[in-house]
Amino acid sequence: MQESEKLGTGAHTRAFAAGACFYGKEKESMNTKIIKLASCGCAGDEALLEAAQILRCGGLVAFPTETVYGLGANALDEDAAKKIYAAKGRPSDNPLIAHISRMDELPVLAAEIPEAAGRLARRFWPGPLTMIFKKQSRVPDGTTGGLDTVAVRMPSDPVANRLIQLAGVPVAAPSANTSGRPSPTRAEHVVEDMDGKIELILDGGEVGIGVESTIVDVSGEVPMLLRPGAVTLEMLRETLGRVDVDPAIEGPLAEGVRPKAPGMKYRHYAPRAEMLLVEGEAERVAAYINHEAKKAKEAGRRVGIICTEESRRLYPEGILEVIGSRSHEETVAHNLFAVLRELDEKAVDCIFSESFSEDRLGQAIMNRLCKAAGYHIVQV
Ligand code: AMP
Ligand code: MG
């Protein structure tokens, strides 16, 4: 395909089309460049131009979005998409989300744009919502894991949005972590997992939301929630009326059942330690965790405890991680993955975590915690 036939034929695209490509060559290991962006988030365009050039040439760039850090590649370039799988160690049947910066880029990827999608886009784009569409044939199997649908999101983060615009191509960007590990919410997390494996990391500081985008399949009769996120089920139903929920969200799948979002079947977000999620009334939860933590310590194990601002005084022992405040659940989402990584860092052997109600943002929080715990949950 000619460069000019690809998505975006603006001045930037043409400017880059003439540039030589030094990136995207197969290499065992490479020097990963890290660029710290200005705190205004608007970075001198110089860094973003360099990043856009790498993307256009088939290389990999990690960048901040409002959800988590993404690992970007040209979504229309099968070889570039393959490099994402290699860098992450991601199973090749787990498709990627393609990111766009403007509404007129959507028809390049989506073969049909149902009315429900238009309504969701008007309310939630740019923002933390991914929609699944029937795909255009130009979207390679390497991006969609062989599916005839494509996942698309328009991020609101100014760095992400500008980068995609400058790249002039849709940008496939899964979370920039090693597959299975907690998603990165700070550039340091990306460095931990991706140093030496990708060309560039744009350091934009901490992300805002902290959990990955909501995914809704709008390619069928009834819209279906495939992954909960900051755009909540309640918000989707307010906009669309009926929205079904993929059973994969609510619990571990029975043997042989395939989730609609292929990625949901893999162990995810997992800290290295084994983790137990404890559900029940606050004082009882604390009593149970304290009792179990004491036993574990006596058996010579290092114990991590995930609690909240409200409950921290209930835990006299163990390595405490305060995940946020129950009265501001956004703080819990914001800190969730960083806390899991922190406990890895502290080399704990086991983790006991409090749990959360499953309404609104709580559904996304519990989905990530349940997966991190491998659905190891106890009611007290
Ligand atoms: P990540 O990029 O790591 O946030 O994961 C992307 C998620 O989107 C995975 O759970 C994928 O299975 C899901 N996904 C991507 N493309 C599709 C698609 N065409 N249909 C259903 N789910 C998808
Ligand atoms: Mg991910």
Side-chain angles (χ1 to χ4, degrees):
M1 191 192 302
Q2 291 283 309
E3 283 302 316
S4 58
E5 286 172 14
K6 288 190 181 175
L7 177 68
T9 48
H12 288 299
T13 309
R14 282 194 295 275
F16 281 131
C21 281
F22 301 109
Y23 307 102
K25 308 225 163 67
E26 295 293 337
K27 279 188 227 155
E28 286 287 292
S29 151
M30 60 182 95
N31 283 332
T32 300
K33 185 169 177 181
I34 302 169
I35 303 180
K36 214 173 173 64
L37 302 175
S39 56
C40 65
C42 52
D45 262 3
E46 213 177 293
L48 297 188
L49 286 169
E50 181 176 347
Q53 167 81 329
I54 293 172
L55 290 174
R56 290 180 48 73
C57 292
L60 302 184
V61 177
F63 59 95
T65 81
E66 69 275 27
T67 57
V68 300
Y69 270 78
L71 178 58
N74 179 353
L76 298 180
D77 177 345
E78 186 131 46
D79 293 333
K82 271 194 197 136
K83 289 184 201 157
I84 289 185
Y85 289 94
K88 280 178 64 79
R90 182 174 172 115
S92 60
D93 68 344
N94 187 1
L96 308 173
I97 297 172
H99 294 72
I100 58 174
S101 66
R102 292 191 320 254
M103 205 53 198
D104 61 358
E105 296 162 345
L106 181 59
V108 176
L109 302 167
E112 283 169 31
I113 302 171
E115 203 256 330
R119 268 195 272 163
L120 290 177
R122 278 191 291 281
R123 177 151 176 214
F124 299 112
W125 274 5
L129 176 71
T130 296
M131 290 188 263
I132 309 290
F133 299 92
K134 297 215 166 66
K135 82 173 186 75
Q136 291 280 13
S137 57
R138 69 167 68 80
V139 184
D141 281 347
T143 299
T144 66
L147 297 175
D148 58 3
T149 51
V150 60
V152 186
R153 180 163 101 82
M154 187 193 295
S156 62
D157 179 277
V159 170
N161 203 278
R162 181 88 178 122
L163 174 61
I164 298 161
Q165 201 187 327
L166 290 174
V169 291
V171 177
S175 47
N177 53 288
T178 301
S179 208
R181 288 211 71 203
S183 296
T185 54
R186 300 176 190 159
E188 299 84 77
H189 300 160
V190 181
V191 175
E192 272 171 37
D193 288 11
M194 293 297 150
D195 195 18
K197 298 181 179 165
I198 65 177
E199 279 81 3
L200 176 65
I201 298 171
L202 294 175
D203 177 353
E206 278 189 43
V207 302
I209 294 171
V211 290
E212 304 86 344
S213 60
T214 304
I215 304 180
V216 186
D217 187 346
V218 290
S219 69
E221 290 276 292
V222 180
M224 185 177 289
L225 178 66
L226 306 188
R227 178 172 75 184
V231 173
T232 65
L233 183 58
E234 290 82 352
M235 289 153 82
L236 295 171
R237 285 183 173 154
E238 245 172 61
T239 314
L240 298 181
R242 182 173 164 194
V243 176
D244 289 350
V245 176
D246 185 19
I249 288 175
E250 281 159 348
L253 289 167
E255 201 64 34
V257 177
R258 287 163 62 91
K260 296 251 167 2
M264 296 295 276
K265 71 174 173 284
Y266 295 105
R267 184 157 188 241
H268 254 89
Y269 321 123
R272 294 189 182 101
E274 72 185 51
M275 177 166 159
L276 178 69
L277 207 51
V278 186
E279 291 189 330
E281 179 275 320
E283 306 262 336
R284 290 166 66 104
V285 167
Y288 178 87
I289 291 180
N290 284 330
H291 181 255
E292 291 300 310
K294 188 154 175 279
K295 274 200 316 202
K297 270 171 83 175
E298 280 165 8
R301 309 179 77 201
R302 275 169 77 79
V303 178
I305 297 174
I306 299 178
C307 67
T308 56
E309 288 294 352
E310 290 80 0
S311 66
R312 62 194 307 167
R313 64 180 176 81
L314 302 175
Y315 301 97
E317 299 198 67
I319 296 170
L320 266 197
E321 288 290 338
V322 177
I323 197 170
S325 163
R326 284 183 188 277
S327 53
H328 298 285
E329 277 198 331
E330 320 79 73
T331 58
V332 177
H334 177 84
N335 296 324
L336 195 153
F337 290 128
V339 159
L340 294 177
R341 279 185 182 253
E342 195 58 38
L343 287 168
D344 270 350
E345 217 34 26
K346 293 179 176 162
V348 299
D349 303 300
C350 55
I351 300 170
F352 298 98
S353 174
E354 292 184 2
S355 52
F356 295 84
S357 73
E358 296 201 35
D359 55 349
R360 289 185 282 266
L361 185 58
Q363 190 183 25
I365 292 168
M366 281 301 282
N367 172 263
R368 304 320 190 266
L369 286 176
C370 285
K371 282 178 158 269
Y375 292 98
H376 194 193
I377 302 165
V378 60
Q379 309 268 349
V380 297

